[in-house]
Amino acid sequence: MVLGGESADGTGRALSGKDAAMDGALSALYGAGKERGSGAGRSAGLGASAPSVARWLGDIRTYFPSTVVQVMQRDAIDRLGLSALLLEPEMLEAVEADVHLVGTLLSLNKVMPETTRETARAVVRKVVQDIEKRLATRTRATLTGALDRSARISRPRHRDIDWDRTIRANLKNYLPEHGTVVPERLIGYGRATRSVKKEVVLCIDQSGSMAASVVYASVFGAVLASMRSIATRLVVFDTAVVDLTDQLDDPVDVLFGTQLGGGTDINRALAYCQSRITRPADTVVVLISDLYEGGIRDEMLKRVAAMKASGVQFVALLALSDEGAPAYDREHAAALAALGAPAFACTPDLFPEVMAAAIEKRPIPVPDKDLPGTRLM
């Protein structure tokens, strides 16, 4: 689509009606950026006026689809420094809520006035509920299947035999003259139990660049915690370590317990997680970080090696989001790969399959084999 503007922008045609309004909404954001950067261009802009920003938010929601609105909101916050206006309740009610907006709100959490806090929590809860609705059912189904498969036994008791799978596995032994299958190998499940089968530790880097990952990981943490057969621990870190496991029944509480920004000490966070592992052979540790380590690099790698040697399944996610390939420390990713620990970016839709593979101790489905430092376990 080509829009005109002042002097028709070289198109020879002036705009009117809806086209002019759309062009004005775009100019207010992108024309203002051009003006500041080059000293020339359109004079439109949002400034720092809450009323004008509120009107602009209404305009873009009228003229553009929600996916475009979310991109434009993100650009407005980044280009025009509108974060402070999000501290006003009426502004929050006007925006299109998405994961990136939640990240921005969490970064403002410590300076947020009480008059805005409840509105902010409502916005965050809406996004969290949308994510849960999209991912929770499939996550539970995928991991329940993985837990059942990991509990299969090769010499089951008669009442524990999975006859359907046993017959299919032994069809080559069918005896037509007798009309029966002679099973050479029985397939079954362990006896049903309410006890914990696996332990999962989500260790989340809360530096500013990991905002979307923190949101998704918190939701997944709450979903995992709702499954009786998985004991879930959620730990967030910067240069300090905070265990938010006791808040996992409400991912919104988890998110408002984080503090985006600050330094990074992966080694300290892994030391804490390692100290809480009691059943290494039944434990999966998921480190969600861009791997820019501010702590002791060699100690961090030694901890990963020690955990893997003890039987822990270790996965490093460079990002847990819908975005493209993230910026990350390639040297550390390659070092983890050399230890047999995959390091890769993961979309939320793929996360259940990644966790299922880790639970069953089979190769992790790395989505992008061309990322340096990635490799199958």
Side-chain angles (χ1 to χ4, degrees):
M1 179 176 68
V2 177
L3 293 177
E6 293 181 6
S7 302
D9 278 353
T11 64
R13 293 183 179 276
L15 298 176
S16 61
K18 180 179 178 181
D19 289 339
M22 292 174 67
D23 186 62
L26 291 167
S27 298
L29 173 57
Y30 301 108
K34 177 181 177 183
E35 181 182 48
R36 284 199 308 271
S38 63
R42 298 172 183 165
S43 59
L46 296 176
S49 165
S52 67
V53 175
R55 284 194 299 271
W56 178 78
L57 287 169
D59 287 344
I60 64 175
R61 292 175 77 168
T62 299
Y63 300 123
F64 302 100
S66 61
T67 52
V68 176
V69 170
Q70 291 169 8
V71 172
M72 293 179 73
Q73 285 179 173
R74 208 178 314 157
D75 286 347
I77 291 170
D78 292 342
R79 291 165 60 94
L80 304 180
L82 301 182
S83 297
L85 292 179
L86 294 178
L87 300 179
E88 301 181 21
E90 61 272 18
M91 288 297 301
L92 280 180
E93 293 170 356
V95 297
E96 185 83 17
D98 69 342
V99 168
H100 298 282
L101 177 64
V102 170
T104 301
L105 291 177
L106 296 179
S107 69
L108 297 171
N109 184 25
K110 301 305 179 184
V111 297
M112 191 176 292
E114 287 302 319
T115 54
T116 306
R117 192 169 297 276
E118 284 308 308
T119 305
R121 287 184 69 90
V123 170
V124 172
R125 189 170 297 281
K126 178 181 182 301
V127 174
V128 165
Q129 289 174 342
D130 289 344
I131 295 172
E132 282 186 308
K133 188 180 301 182
R134 175 164 65 97
L135 300 171
T137 300
R138 189 165 66 85
T139 299
R140 291 191 185 98
T142 300
L143 297 190
T144 297
L147 290 165
D148 287 344
R149 287 189 295 272
S150 68
R152 283 197 184 111
I153 52 178
S154 59
R155 293 184 180 181
R157 299 177 182 180
H158 185 271
R159 61 186 171 185
D160 294 330
I161 295 174
D162 183 340
W163 286 109
D164 181 62
R165 290 181 58 84
T166 295
I167 291 171
R168 283 189 282 126
N170 291 277
L171 284 176
K172 63 182 179 180
N173 300 321
Y174 177 67
L175 300 178
E177 63 274 20
H178 298 288
T180 189
V181 169
V182 178
E184 291 182 349
R185 182 168 64 94
L186 298 177
I187 300 175
Y189 297 94
R191 297 182 65 182
T193 177
R194 290 178 175 266
S195 64
V196 171
K197 296 178 181 177
K198 295 288 180 178
E199 298 182 4
V200 174
V201 181
L202 299 178
C203 185
I204 310 168
D205 182 346
Q206 60 178 351
S207 57
S209 61
M210 302 296 295
S213 299
V214 171
V215 176
Y216 280 116
S218 298
V219 174
F220 277 119
V223 173
L224 295 177
S226 71
M227 301 176 66
R228 290 182 185 174
S229 51
I230 296 178
T232 306
R233 183 176 295 276
L234 189 143
V235 176
V236 298
F237 68 93
D238 40 36
T239 53
V241 179
V242 180
D243 192 326
L244 297 176
T245 302
D246 60 352
Q247 298 179 39
L248 274 174
D249 58 330
D250 188 346
V252 176
D253 286 342
V254 170
L255 288 170
F256 277 92
T258 64
Q259 184 173 348
L260 293 178
T264 306
D265 193 335
I266 302 173
N267 176 56
R268 174 176 289 187
L270 291 182
Y272 177 84
C273 295
Q274 188 178 23
S275 72
R276 296 300 185 271
I277 295 173
T278 57
R279 301 164 55 199
D282 294 318
T283 299
V284 178
V285 173
V286 183
L287 171 65
I288 304 174
S289 173
D290 54 17
L291 302 180
Y292 288 111
E293 170 66 316
I296 307 173
R297 175 186 184 274
D298 290 342
E299 287 299 315
M300 174 190 76
L301 296 175
K302 285 179 182 178
R303 291 192 190 282
V304 175
M307 282 189 274
K308 285 188 62 63
S310 69
V312 171
Q313 294 293 102
F314 190 94
V315 181
L317 299 183
L318 305 170
L320 178 57
S321 69
D322 291 307
E323 305 303 312
Y328 64 98
D329 190 305
R330 292 172 180 267
E331 183 179 348
H332 287 165
L336 288 175
L339 295 174
F344 57 94
C346 177
T347 64
D349 288 333
L350 182 63
F351 185 75
E353 280 71 33
V354 169
M355 290 302 301
I359 285 171
E360 295 181 68
K361 299 185 177 181
R362 55 183 170 83
I364 302 296
V366 176
D368 187 354
K369 296 188 178 84
D370 295 327
L371 267 178
T374 63
R375 124 182 195 184
L376 295 180
M377 289 181 72

